[in-house]
Amino acid sequence: MPEPMRAFTLDSFDSPPRLRDDMPEPRPADNELLVRVQASSVNPVDAAIAGGVLKEMVEHEFPVTLGRDFAGVVEQTGNEVYGFLPASNPTVHEGSWTELITVPENDFAAVKPRNLDMASAGVAPLAGITALAARDALAPTRDETVLVIGATGGVGSFFVQLAAGAGAHVIAPAFPEDEEYLRDLGATEILDRNADLEATLRDRHADGVDAILDLVSYTPQDSLLKEGGRLASPLGAAGDGPQRFNLTAEPSPSNLQRLSELLDNRTLRVHVQESYELARAAEALQELSGSHTQGKLSLRIA
């Protein structure tokens, strides 16, 4: 009979998520890895699932274990791996905020970056691969102007580094306390986040910008672009047509390997603003939803 383990779960849409210590340990199939999770992170999709935002969009199989990212150790081999679980596969059910998970042997996981500790590896996959998808879609080049709306969050922090590394002129709306952080990542120009974005941007760039990664808006920000400019969104808000990219992060081994190489050679750096024990996952969700963050929030599972 499976041993009980801890997991942070949503048991119904009518109750808040909670820490349980009676969840059965998973039994891996022949083609699966059993991973003892050591670290994870908090992503907007976790807050959306916990708040019931997706209940009309996809079936939920309760109890739902929250969490997408993971870094841990394969039980049978001792190999250190990292990756992330899709939000629905095909239902919203499995997650990484638990002690043990099973993942397909050839999907969703790859060898953990050598130069990262578990906490840093545990926050990188979903945000990092989303940023890579944005870089692939927008393909910023030297001296192009690239506006990043939501630059201080996990995806934004990674993308600013990628765009700056390509030689682009990176523009980011931000609060005064964010300026040093964003400039350290490679942002060239900081706009006052409290001011009207279009008026502020047009005052400095009358024709608009070459490309936008918008991590915040739910409608396309077309008016900020040059004619023929490029717009990407992970929220389905890029609009339709050429040069519009609605991003999807694919947790494939090849994407995880690409991310590992960038993390190992320090092209990308990970910033963990704060770390929480699994028992404090509810606080972490509240922090993500109600406060301003720089980089990522980490969860310590073991």
Side-chain angles (χ1 to χ4, degrees):
M1 185 173 180
E3 294 292 323
M5 66 175 183
R6 297 184 308 149
F8 197 82
T9 67
L10 179 69
D11 298 332
S12 76
F13 291 127
D14 299 320
S15 60
R18 65 186 179 115
L19 181 65
R20 295 177 55 167
D21 60 7
D22 61 348
M23 296 294 288
E25 290 186 354
R27 294 289 179 86
D30 291 340
N31 64 338
E32 291 182 325
L33 302 175
L34 181 65
V35 178
R36 185 165 295 277
V37 182
Q38 296 190 10
S40 184
S41 76
V42 188
N43 289 293
V45 67
D46 302 316
I49 293 171
V53 175
L54 306 183
K55 65 182 178 181
E56 303 297 334
M57 305 177 193
V58 63
E59 182 181 351
H60 289 57
E61 184 181 346
F62 295 109
V64 170
T65 300
L66 297 178
R68 310 269 56 88
D69 289 318
F70 65 88
V73 178
V74 179
E75 287 283 272
Q76 299 95 326
T77 66
N79 292 337
E80 294 181 339
V81 296
Y82 83 142
F84 74 88
L85 304 174
S88 60
N89 191 34
T91 63
V92 179
H93 178 59
E94 296 177 342
S96 59
W97 292 2
T98 186
E99 294 176 312
L100 288 164
I101 61 173
T102 57
V103 295
E105 190 169 7
N106 297 315
D107 292 300
F108 306 160
V111 175
K112 180 183 76 66
R114 297 181 304 276
N115 290 332
L116 292 190
D117 58 22
M118 280 291 183
S120 297
V123 304
L126 179 53
I129 288 176
T130 304
L132 279 175
R135 194 272 304 273
D136 293 346
L138 294 176
T141 58
R142 181 166 300 279
D143 297 328
E144 280 195 315
T145 49
V146 180
L147 175 66
V148 184
I149 304 174
T152 59
V155 177
S157 294
F158 283 129
F159 181 78
V160 167
Q161 296 176 68
L162 292 169
H169 178 96
V170 179
I171 306 165
F175 296 122
E177 59 266 30
D178 296 323
E179 181 165 358
E180 182 179 357
Y181 172 72
L182 288 170
R183 290 196 183 278
D184 184 57
L185 295 178
T188 312
E189 186 177 346
I190 310 298
L191 305 180
D192 183 357
R193 184 165 162 173
N194 290 314
D196 179 85
L197 177 57
E198 182 165 5
T200 305
L201 184 71
R202 290 289 182 178
D203 185 55
R204 303 186 185 195
H205 304 276
D207 296 331
V209 296
D210 295 297
I212 297 173
L213 173 61
D214 191 341
L215 302 163
V216 175
S217 308
Y218 288 92
T219 55
Q221 300 294 304
D222 295 307
S223 62
L224 305 174
L225 283 171
K226 290 180 179 178
E227 185 176 352
R230 313 182 300 280
L231 174 60
S233 164
L235 302 175
D240 299 318
Q243 309 301 325
R244 299 292 184 272
F245 306 98
N246 289 299
L247 307 173
T248 301
E250 298 290 343
S252 65
S254 60
N255 278 339
L256 288 163
Q257 181 58 39
R258 290 174 65 201
L259 181 62
S260 290
E261 291 172 0
L262 294 170
L263 292 165
D264 270 332
N265 65 27
R266 295 183 172 83
T267 298
L268 285 179
R269 292 172 289 144
V270 178
H271 179 75
V272 175
Q273 175 172 296
E274 191 168 353
S275 184
Y276 296 82
E277 299 289 346
L278 181 59
R280 297 177 59 211
E283 293 178 50
L285 283 169
Q286 187 174 16
E287 179 74 11
L288 182 72
S289 300
S291 302
H292 180 62
T293 58
Q294 293 178 345
K296 296 287 295 180
L297 302 178
S298 171
L299 277 184
R300 295 191 297 273
I301 310 296

